[in-house]
């Protein structure tokens, strides 16, 4: 039998040593949750530190990410090679695997970047969904793991955390367990300063299994985890804890959270806990207990490998888990369309075609099934049907975004997130996480401009494109028509190094492309009509405004003004083209950029004397055609500007 | 006694007529909540339609804003002149007061823009806080009103709605009542698709008073509202309703939400409800009932005016409500500081100085009291102390942002919102609402760059400045030092036409200004050092990088390179300066912009041959000085670039 109390104290002192060594850090969580974590690892967790990427491992999420030394101590003690003692000594320094907050590095055992409060538990819901969906497809022989999340008070105060509670309960995600560090202290002091909610009752209202225990009572924690594993509901283990337990000066105090530690604190802790070892020293018998606990996972992994080797679906399973696309998958992408069609509908066509071809796609939508039209032949993922590949997320965009990247981090599925572009702001922090972690996630947005119509300015994005073009690692597509929409999807799915988003129209878009022999969207921008060399004016447009530019071109050509139209569906892809290509496309002639959004950022592609036709502020409530007239985004305006510029 | 059922049907048919006339709209809410709304207005609401801006009026928020015709019908029937029959006939057309979703127009009775789901109830929490705070200051003789919010399922699914429930319960906001349209239908169909939560239990867990009634039973609704008014807790009246009640084809159905209406629907509704009147016709006796109900408010307003006239505090009350600054208030702003000081601390100095001078300021902070340091002499606003001007919001940024603009919309107080800049994304949708409504709200953010240090990339804004500079109506300040911070505060408080935000440093900022004779920040950018005419290079910087530019200038001048340093604390203010001023400041010499953020947007101020020294992607986990070195934002880099450019 392992000595769990000593295992816990090993966490405690590694945390104290590393924080003292770094000169800063948050001791509250690792010291307060040491017994909880040690019990989980000693008796329950199934992981294989020597094969950190084993697909059927339990997933562990540290949602209270400031307590990162809890995770690093756990990973070190259980034998993840990359989290060496040296790594712990480099805590919070440049290039260390032990960053201030956990940053995804799955081969070191860090499943996901914790991010700001709330992100962790929301992404954990995504992981638990992925597990169920994969188990439904491949069976429990191959997919049989759990998701454990360490949770602080802040995560539960955040709205996204509340969304996570609500949806996880609704979906009966029985393999999801939250270990709540109920220490009654936040950064400001007593939690009572800002919350007086009955948190167990709140979870019960959402259909959770709730257990309340003393978080330092190893037997009680162990029994609660055992109960959580057998209950069909998601479980909250509410662990009453003492923050920074073990440091006499700080335990149970506001300063327990992250007040600077002194060497005297370390000495007093050693005395208080009866820990006689020097800094960063862990006795071999303690390591033995930790490593012995990992035998459970190692054995499970061996058994699993044996099953996989003879499994009839092993090839397909491996394909899903590796994110490999099947040969010829792109043949399923719809070709050109002869009629005008809203690009959100063209995207729905793609998504529907992929339901069979890429069954690993899973669509998440925030209560906008009808107007976004991405469900179609897909069944809903429900407690009764885990094979469904369409998840009704409710009006919970922030959770949805985090679930999407959580699913991507879990591996095996390809998440597609669908809502209106106006709601992109609601999930922006989650989208930033996907970009920061470079996780392949596809964010599909409809109603991308004043084209949304008379729901009014609150529902009409004007600055949203710019705000995402400003976000590193996010590819922003605004395709012009059916063909460009298919091309954008192809790029998004073929590109594993980060997320893509698509800004799509509610209103019909003119078809501007027929030829699909080459994916022109890959280069970010290209000449759609007119000559490269011989031009009087260049019109650069995105999305629905490309059709407008083509119309204007007809008029201008009739007036003898040689007009070249550039479609620019993706700035990020255009930016990485060779300088010579960019010059070739943009040309030396006067330029007019046309986009039903703000100019902000367009200066990158325009010179001082060039023009921009678009929005200058918020939208208004009227039908789309009237709004285009009202805001002067019209063929007439383009023609007038082009004439003026060509004459100069 | 008014005939409340007929009053309700009047709402119903005005909604049907207006939606049919507009050709689109959402009938679900006005038809489903007609009895609830008519009961509230007939027997409880205290408002004065002939004086819509009466400060002591009850506030009504339509959080389920798609049901806008409910609000417009209410305003028309109760006699708000601006919501005429003609206005109802212009529903959803350009410039109509009856926009697709309610847009703030307080003299028409529209208290606040509804925005996307969840915003309304979150802003209502702010209004209820404002009421309590003002009542504590001026007494119930002058401040004695309530906040009523119509609430849909979507508002309660949104995380920000959950944050609102939690904090309103904690704060015992007994004058806040949610009227929940429990119609069990969302856009996707049955609410059971995405939620199976016991919503009354969830509210009870947060300390709310909960009543469950049949929303079409006028007697029951009336009794519930009466009970809500006497209970010291905030109240949820859970009204079981039938969506689109009255239209036989759609009532209780998914299509009830917003399926296009036909004239046959209108006919069938007329038959079903026994309503024999033509479109847009309301019998005089129905108007009489509605107008008669408003006598209660009119009388209350008259009595209130009488009390105000003799109230010893009438002048101060009127000053607060009008948003007028007291004479000489700016004298309290701290002057220059001799030592380096983090700009978040300088902002705290200002905020503390204003605690007495501008007692109408109220600071909201999301559990970051210590690191943002804006509490100081302020007492906390709590159930026991409504005079407090510091609100511990917990880790609930999105709610906090909406409360801030809700407080501003209520009037009487000046909200100041404080957290880290990394969390600005969490409240971005609320900040957009403040900008869209042009409400005077001050958003203060600390930890504005990689200067945040070793918490790592998730906590280090790099694209945030650009993303807010892209937002219309938001003034973004990044002051360099103590003086510029005071100047930014002065502008923010003197400017009633919209919100301001400040990006402030965690780390010490060099003091770059001594002379405070003129508020130079007002012009957005100005020459801090060096000559206007005679320059070889211009360094343009913001925030902490201004100090860096000044240091580089010393070195460059010693090398004989004539260097002008431009401090640019606010792009938006600079943009509205005359062209000649902008040219005068930026000059013709080569330019180097320096900002510890991405280049995105800076092209506006730079020519092709100019340089930018800043970030090119996300940050990392290390101490701030090391990160500045690592990312090459250093004096050496500036000097090297300037030398290169000056030599060309």
């Amino acid at each position: 039998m392992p000595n769990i109390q000593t295992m816990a104290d090993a966490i405690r002192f590694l945390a104290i040593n590393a924080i003292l060594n770094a000169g800063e850090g948050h001791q509250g969580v690792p010291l307060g949750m040491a017994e909880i974590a040690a019990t989980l690892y000693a008796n329950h967790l199934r992981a294989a530190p020597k094969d950190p990427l084993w697909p059927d491992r339990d997933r562990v999420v540290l949602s209270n990410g400031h307590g990162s030394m809890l995770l690093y101590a756990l990973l070190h003690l259980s034998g993840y090679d990359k989290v060496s003692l040296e790594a712990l000594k480099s805590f919070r320094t440049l290039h260390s695997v032990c960053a201030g907050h956990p940053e995804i590095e799955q081969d070191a055992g860090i499943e996901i970047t914790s991010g700001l409060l709330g992100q962790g538990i929301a992404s954990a819901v995504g992981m638990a969904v992925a597990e169920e969906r994969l188990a439904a497809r491949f069976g429990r022989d191959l997919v049989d793991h759990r998701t454990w999340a360490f949770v602080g008070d802040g995560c539960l105060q955040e709205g996204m955390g509340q969304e996570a509670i609500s949806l996880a309960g609704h979906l009966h995600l029985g393999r999801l367990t939250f270990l709540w560090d109920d220490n009654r202290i936040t950064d400001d002091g007593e939690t009572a300063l800002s919350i007086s909610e009955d948190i167990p009752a709140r979870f019960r209202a959402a259909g959770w299994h709730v257990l309340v225990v003393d978080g330092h009572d190893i037997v009680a924690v162990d029994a609660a985890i055992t109960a959580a594993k057998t209950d069909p509901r998601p479980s909250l283990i509410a662990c009453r804890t003492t923050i920074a337990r073990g440091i006499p000066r700080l335990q149970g105090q506001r300063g327990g959270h992250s007040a600077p530690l002194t060497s005297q604190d370390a000495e007093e802790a050693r005395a208080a806990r009866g820990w006689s070892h020097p800094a960063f020293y862990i006795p071999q018998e303690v390591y033995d207990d930790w490593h012995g606990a990992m035998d459970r996972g190692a054995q499970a992994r061996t058994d699993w490998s044996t099953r996989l080797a003879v499994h009839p679906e092993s090839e397909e399973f491996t394909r899903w888990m590796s994110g490999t696309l099947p040969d010829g998958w792109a043949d399923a992408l719809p070709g050109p369309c002869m009629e005008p069609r809203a690009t959100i509908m063209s995207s729905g066509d793609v998504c529907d075609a992929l339901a069979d071809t890429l069954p690993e796609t899973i669509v998440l939508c925030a209560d906008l099934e009808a107007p976004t039209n991405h469900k179609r032949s897909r069944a809903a993922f429900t407690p009764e049907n885990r094979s469904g590949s369409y998840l009704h997320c409710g009006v919970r965009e922030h959770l949805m975004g985090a679930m999407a990247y959580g699913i991507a981090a879990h591996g095996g599925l390809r998440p597609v997130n669908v809502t209106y572009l106006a709601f992109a702001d609601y999930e922006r922090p989650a989208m930033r996480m996907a970009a920061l972690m470079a996780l392949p996630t596809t964010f599909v947005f409809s109603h991308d401009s004043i084209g949304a119509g008379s729901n009014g300015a609150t529902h009409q994005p004007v600055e949203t494109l710019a705000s995402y073009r400003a976000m590193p690692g996010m590819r922003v597509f605004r395709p012009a028509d059916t063909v460009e929409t298919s091309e954008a999807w192809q790029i998004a799915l073929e590109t594993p190094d980060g997320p893509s988003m698509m800004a799509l129209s509610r209103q019909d878009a003119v078809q501007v492309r027929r030829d699909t022999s080459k994916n022109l969207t890959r280069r970010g921008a290209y000449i759609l009509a007119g000559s490269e060399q011989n031009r009087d004016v260049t019109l650069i447009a995105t999305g629905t405004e490309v059709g407008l530019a083509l119309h204007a071109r007809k008029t201008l050509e009739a007036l003898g003004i040689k007009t070249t139209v550039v479609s620019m569906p993706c700035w990020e892809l255009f930016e990485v083209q060779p300088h010579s290509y960019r010059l070739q496309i943009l040309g030396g002639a006067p330029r007019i950029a046309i986009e039903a959004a703000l100019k902000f950022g367009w200066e990158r592609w325009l010179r001082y004397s060039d023009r921009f036709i678009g929005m200058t502020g918020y939208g208004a409530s009227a039908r789309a055609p009237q709004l285009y007239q009202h805001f002067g985004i019209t063929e007439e305006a383009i023609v007038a500007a082009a004439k003026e510029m060509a004459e100069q």
Side-chain angles (χ1 to χ4, degrees), chain A residues 331-550:
Chain A
D331 300 345
L333 293 172
C337 171
M338 294 300 120
E339 297 298 316
R341 187 157 178 76
T343 50
I344 186 63
M345 292 299 147
S346 299
S347 174
D349 299 339
V350 176
C351 192
D352 196 44
L354 297 178
D356 289 331
T357 312
L358 281 185
E360 62 267 41
T361 50
I362 181 164
V363 179
L364 288 72
C365 184
D367 196 43
L368 290 171
E369 182 204 322
T372 59
N373 205 234
H374 276 55
K375 188 173 183 185
R376 306 201 196 175
S377 64
R378 292 173 187 268
F381 175 94
T382 65
E384 298 75 33
N385 180 16
R386 299 305 203 193
S387 297
S389 68
Y390 187 92
L391 211 162
H392 292 276
C393 290
V395 193
R396 303 183 185 97
E397 295 81 10
H398 201 177
L399 168 67
M400 179 169 77
M403 285 175 68
Y405 75 70
I407 289 170
H410 179 281
L413 297 177
R414 291 176 172 270
V416 178
N417 174 299
V418 185
T419 184
Y420 289 166
L421 188 57
F423 281 100
D425 275 355
Y426 274 50
E427 54 176 315
R428 184 178 174 90
M431 294 173 70
R432 186 186 203 252
M433 289 286 286
L436 186 59
M437 289 187 274
L439 288 172
T441 311
T442 305
F443 296 92
V444 172
F445 296 107
S446 179
H447 292 54
D448 70 345
S449 70
I450 50 169
S454 43
N455 277 338
T458 50
H459 289 57
Q460 293 161 357
V462 294
E463 78 285 25
T464 316
L465 287 168
S467 78
Y468 280 98
R469 287 172 180 151
M471 182 180 278
M474 178 64 71
R475 273 181 294 268
V476 182
F477 293 94
R478 190 165 185 253
D481 70 354
T482 296
V483 171
E484 284 195 2
T485 304
S486 275
E487 290 176 342
W489 265 89
Q490 183 174 14
I491 297 163
L493 291 172
E494 284 180 356
T495 322
D497 66 335
S500 298
M501 70 180 272
M502 298 183 205
L504 303 172
S505 73
R506 173 197 191 187
Q507 75 274 30
D508 276 343
V510 174
Q511 299 296 340
V512 303
R513 287 266 303 282
R514 293 279 157 95
D515 178 12
T516 58
S517 57
K518 209 170 161 188
N519 184 327
L520 297 174
T521 299
R522 271 194 219 291
R523 304 206 76 170
Y526 60 92
I527 292 176
L528 178 67
S531 161
E532 183 187 311
Q533 298 300 336
N534 191 13
R535 41 176 141 168
D536 299 322
V537 66
T538 303
L539 308 180
I540 311 170
T542 78
T544 37
E545 284 69 75
V546 176
L548 211 56
L550 281 184

Side-chain angles (χ1 to χ4, degrees), chain A residues 95-110:
Chain A
H95 309 307
S96 173
V97 69
C98 300
H101 285 62
E103 295 177 7
I104 192 167
E105 197 159 337
Q106 295 189 331
D107 63 357
I110 304 170

Side-chain angles (χ1 to χ4, degrees), chain A residues 97-157:
Chain A
V97 69
C98 300
H101 285 62
E103 295 177 7
I104 192 167
E105 197 159 337
Q106 295 189 331
D107 63 357
I110 304 170
E111 293 289 354
I112 199 156
T113 298
S114 294
L116 302 179
L117 292 171
Q119 297 291 335
I121 50 175
S123 66
V125 175
M127 293 180 179
V129 164
E131 200 270 351
E132 295 284 1
R133 167 79 186 95
L134 290 166
R137 173 65 184 80
F138 295 103
R140 289 284 175 214
D141 271 2
L142 298 186
V143 185
D144 185 20
H145 54 272
R146 297 181 172 278
T147 305
W148 309 94
F150 295 100
V151 182
D153 293 299
C155 304
L156 302 181
Q157 292 192 356

